[in-house]
CSV table of all heavy atoms in Angstrom, one decimal:
chain,number,residue,atom,x,y,z
O,152,LEU,N,78.9,-29.9,-114.8
O,152,LEU,CA,80.2,-30.3,-115.4
O,152,LEU,C,81.3,-29.2,-115.2
O,152,LEU,O,82.2,-29.1,-116.0
O,152,LEU,CB,80.1,-30.6,-116.9
O,152,LEU,CG,79.2,-31.8,-117.3
O,152,LEU,CD1,79.1,-32.0,-118.8
O,152,LEU,CD2,79.8,-33.1,-116.7
O,153,ASP,N,81.1,-28.4,-114.2
O,153,ASP,CA,82.0,-27.3,-113.9
O,153,ASP,C,83.4,-27.9,-113.8
O,153,ASP,O,83.6,-29.0,-113.1
O,153,ASP,CB,81.7,-26.6,-112.6
O,153,ASP,CG,80.7,-25.5,-112.8
O,153,ASP,OD1,80.3,-25.2,-114.0
O,153,ASP,OD2,80.2,-24.9,-111.8
O,154,GLY,N,84.4,-27.3,-114.4
O,154,GLY,CA,85.8,-27.8,-114.2
O,154,GLY,C,86.2,-29.0,-115.1
O,154,GLY,O,87.3,-29.4,-115.1
O,155,ARG,N,85.2,-29.5,-115.9
O,155,ARG,CA,85.5,-30.6,-116.8
O,155,ARG,C,85.7,-30.1,-118.2
O,155,ARG,O,85.1,-29.1,-118.6
O,155,ARG,CB,84.3,-31.6,-116.9
O,155,ARG,CG,83.9,-32.1,-115.5
O,155,ARG,CD,84.2,-33.6,-115.4
O,155,ARG,NE,84.0,-34.0,-114.1
O,155,ARG,CZ,84.4,-35.2,-113.7
O,155,ARG,NH1,85.0,-36.0,-114.5
O,155,ARG,NH2,84.1,-35.6,-112.4
O,156,THR,N,86.5,-30.8,-119.0
O,156,THR,CA,86.7,-30.5,-120.4
O,156,THR,C,86.2,-31.7,-121.2
O,156,THR,O,86.5,-32.8,-120.9
O,156,THR,CB,88.2,-30.2,-120.7
O,156,THR,OG1,88.6,-29.1,-119.9
O,156,THR,CG2,88.5,-30.0,-122.1
O,157,VAL,N,85.4,-31.3,-122.2
O,157,VAL,CA,84.8,-32.3,-123.1
O,157,VAL,C,85.4,-32.1,-124.5
O,157,VAL,O,85.4,-30.9,-125.0
O,157,VAL,CB,83.3,-32.2,-123.1
O,157,VAL,CG1,82.7,-33.2,-124.1
O,157,VAL,CG2,82.7,-32.5,-121.7
O,158,LEU,N,85.7,-33.1,-125.2
O,158,LEU,CA,86.1,-33.0,-126.6
O,158,LEU,C,84.9,-33.7,-127.4
O,158,LEU,O,84.7,-34.9,-127.2
O,158,LEU,CB,87.4,-33.7,-126.9
O,158,LEU,CG,87.8,-33.9,-128.4
O,158,LEU,CD1,88.0,-32.5,-129.1
O,158,LEU,CD2,89.1,-34.7,-128.5
O,159,VAL,N,84.3,-33.0,-128.3
O,159,VAL,CA,83.2,-33.5,-129.1
O,159,VAL,C,83.7,-33.6,-130.5
O,159,VAL,O,84.1,-32.7,-131.2
O,159,VAL,CB,82.0,-32.5,-129.1
O,159,VAL,CG1,80.9,-33.0,-130.0
O,159,VAL,CG2,81.5,-32.4,-127.7
O,160,ALA,N,83.8,-34.9,-131.0
O,160,ALA,CA,84.2,-35.1,-132.4
O,160,ALA,C,83.0,-34.8,-133.3
O,160,ALA,O,81.9,-35.1,-133.0
O,160,ALA,CB,84.6,-36.6,-132.6
O,161,GLY,N,83.3,-34.1,-134.4
O,161,GLY,CA,82.2,-33.8,-135.4
O,161,GLY,C,81.1,-32.8,-134.8
O,161,GLY,O,79.9,-33.2,-134.7
O,162,GLY,N,81.6,-31.7,-134.4
O,162,GLY,CA,80.7,-30.7,-133.7
O,162,GLY,C,79.6,-30.1,-134.6
O,162,GLY,O,78.7,-29.4,-134.0
O,163,ALA,N,79.6,-30.3,-135.9
O,163,ALA,CA,78.6,-29.8,-136.7
O,163,ALA,C,77.5,-30.8,-137.0
O,163,ALA,O,76.5,-30.5,-137.7
O,163,ALA,CB,79.2,-29.3,-138.1
O,164,GLY,N,77.7,-32.0,-136.5
O,164,GLY,CA,76.6,-33.0,-136.7
O,164,GLY,C,75.5,-32.8,-135.7
O,164,GLY,O,75.6,-32.0,-134.7
O,165,ALA,N,74.4,-33.5,-135.8
O,165,ALA,CA,73.3,-33.3,-134.9
O,165,ALA,C,73.6,-33.7,-133.5
O,165,ALA,O,73.3,-33.0,-132.5
O,165,ALA,CB,72.0,-34.1,-135.4
O,166,VAL,N,74.2,-34.9,-133.3
O,166,VAL,CA,74.6,-35.3,-132.0
O,166,VAL,C,75.7,-34.5,-131.4
O,166,VAL,O,75.7,-34.0,-130.3
O,166,VAL,CB,75.0,-36.8,-131.9
O,166,VAL,CG1,75.4,-37.2,-130.5
O,166,VAL,CG2,73.8,-37.7,-132.4
O,167,GLY,N,76.7,-34.1,-132.3
O,167,GLY,CA,77.8,-33.2,-131.9
O,167,GLY,C,77.3,-31.9,-131.4
O,167,GLY,O,77.7,-31.4,-130.4
O,168,ASN,N,76.3,-31.3,-132.2
O,168,ASN,CA,75.7,-30.1,-131.8
O,168,ASN,C,75.0,-30.2,-130.4
O,168,ASN,O,75.2,-29.3,-129.6
O,168,ASN,CB,74.7,-29.6,-132.9
O,168,ASN,CG,73.9,-28.4,-132.5
O,168,ASN,OD1,73.0,-28.5,-131.7
O,168,ASN,ND2,74.3,-27.3,-133.0
O,169,ALA,N,74.3,-31.2,-130.2
O,169,ALA,CA,73.6,-31.4,-129.0
O,169,ALA,C,74.6,-31.6,-127.8
O,169,ALA,O,74.4,-31.1,-126.7
O,169,ALA,CB,72.7,-32.6,-129.1
O,170,ALA,N,75.7,-32.3,-128.1
O,170,ALA,CA,76.7,-32.5,-127.0
O,170,ALA,C,77.3,-31.2,-126.6
O,170,ALA,O,77.6,-30.9,-125.5
O,170,ALA,CB,77.7,-33.5,-127.5
O,171,ILE,N,77.6,-30.4,-127.6
O,171,ILE,CA,78.2,-29.1,-127.3
O,171,ILE,C,77.3,-28.2,-126.5
O,171,ILE,O,77.6,-27.7,-125.4
O,171,ILE,CB,78.5,-28.3,-128.6
O,171,ILE,CG1,79.7,-29.0,-129.4
O,171,ILE,CG2,79.0,-26.8,-128.3
O,171,ILE,CD1,79.9,-28.4,-130.8
O,172,GLN,N,76.0,-28.2,-126.9
O,172,GLN,CA,75.1,-27.3,-126.2
O,172,GLN,C,74.8,-27.8,-124.8
O,172,GLN,O,74.8,-27.0,-123.8
O,172,GLN,CB,73.7,-27.3,-127.0
O,172,GLN,CG,73.8,-26.6,-128.3
O,172,GLN,CD,72.4,-26.1,-128.8
O,172,GLN,OE1,71.9,-25.2,-128.1
O,172,GLN,NE2,72.0,-26.6,-129.9
O,173,LEU,N,74.6,-29.1,-124.6
O,173,LEU,CA,74.4,-29.7,-123.3
O,173,LEU,C,75.6,-29.5,-122.4
O,173,LEU,O,75.5,-29.2,-121.2
O,173,LEU,CB,73.9,-31.1,-123.3
O,173,LEU,CG,72.5,-31.4,-123.9
O,173,LEU,CD1,72.3,-32.9,-124.1
O,173,LEU,CD2,71.5,-30.7,-123.1
O,174,ALA,N,76.8,-29.8,-122.9
O,174,ALA,CA,78.0,-29.7,-122.1
O,174,ALA,C,78.2,-28.2,-121.7
O,174,ALA,O,78.6,-27.9,-120.5
O,174,ALA,CB,79.2,-30.2,-122.9
O,175,LYS,N,78.0,-27.3,-122.6
O,175,LYS,CA,78.1,-25.9,-122.2
O,175,LYS,C,77.1,-25.5,-121.1
O,175,LYS,O,77.4,-24.8,-120.2
O,175,LYS,CB,78.0,-25.0,-123.4
O,175,LYS,CG,79.2,-24.9,-124.4
O,175,LYS,CD,80.5,-24.6,-123.7
O,175,LYS,CE,80.5,-23.2,-123.1
O,175,LYS,NZ,81.8,-23.1,-122.3
O,176,TRP,N,75.9,-25.9,-121.3
O,176,TRP,CA,74.8,-25.6,-120.3
O,176,TRP,C,75.2,-26.1,-118.9
O,176,TRP,O,75.0,-25.4,-117.9
O,176,TRP,CB,73.5,-26.3,-120.8
O,176,TRP,CG,72.4,-26.2,-119.9
O,176,TRP,CD1,71.7,-25.0,-119.4
O,176,TRP,CD2,71.7,-27.3,-119.3
O,176,TRP,NE1,70.7,-25.4,-118.6
O,176,TRP,CE2,70.6,-26.7,-118.5
O,176,TRP,CE3,71.8,-28.7,-119.3
O,176,TRP,CZ2,69.7,-27.5,-117.7
O,176,TRP,CZ3,71.0,-29.5,-118.6
O,176,TRP,CH2,69.9,-28.9,-117.8
O,177,ALA,N,75.9,-27.2,-119.0
O,177,ALA,CA,76.3,-27.9,-117.7
O,177,ALA,C,77.6,-27.3,-117.1
O,177,ALA,O,78.1,-27.8,-116.1
O,177,ALA,CB,76.4,-29.4,-117.9
O,178,GLY,N,78.3,-26.4,-117.9
O,178,GLY,CA,79.4,-25.7,-117.3
O,178,GLY,C,80.8,-26.2,-117.8
O,178,GLY,O,81.8,-25.7,-117.3
Side-chain angles (χ1 to χ4, degrees):
L152 296 179
D153 275 356
R155 303 252 172 187
T156 298
V157 175
L158 172 61
V159 176
V166 178
N168 173 280
I171 293 171
Q172 295 203 62
L173 289 175
K175 284 307 299 172
W176 174 63

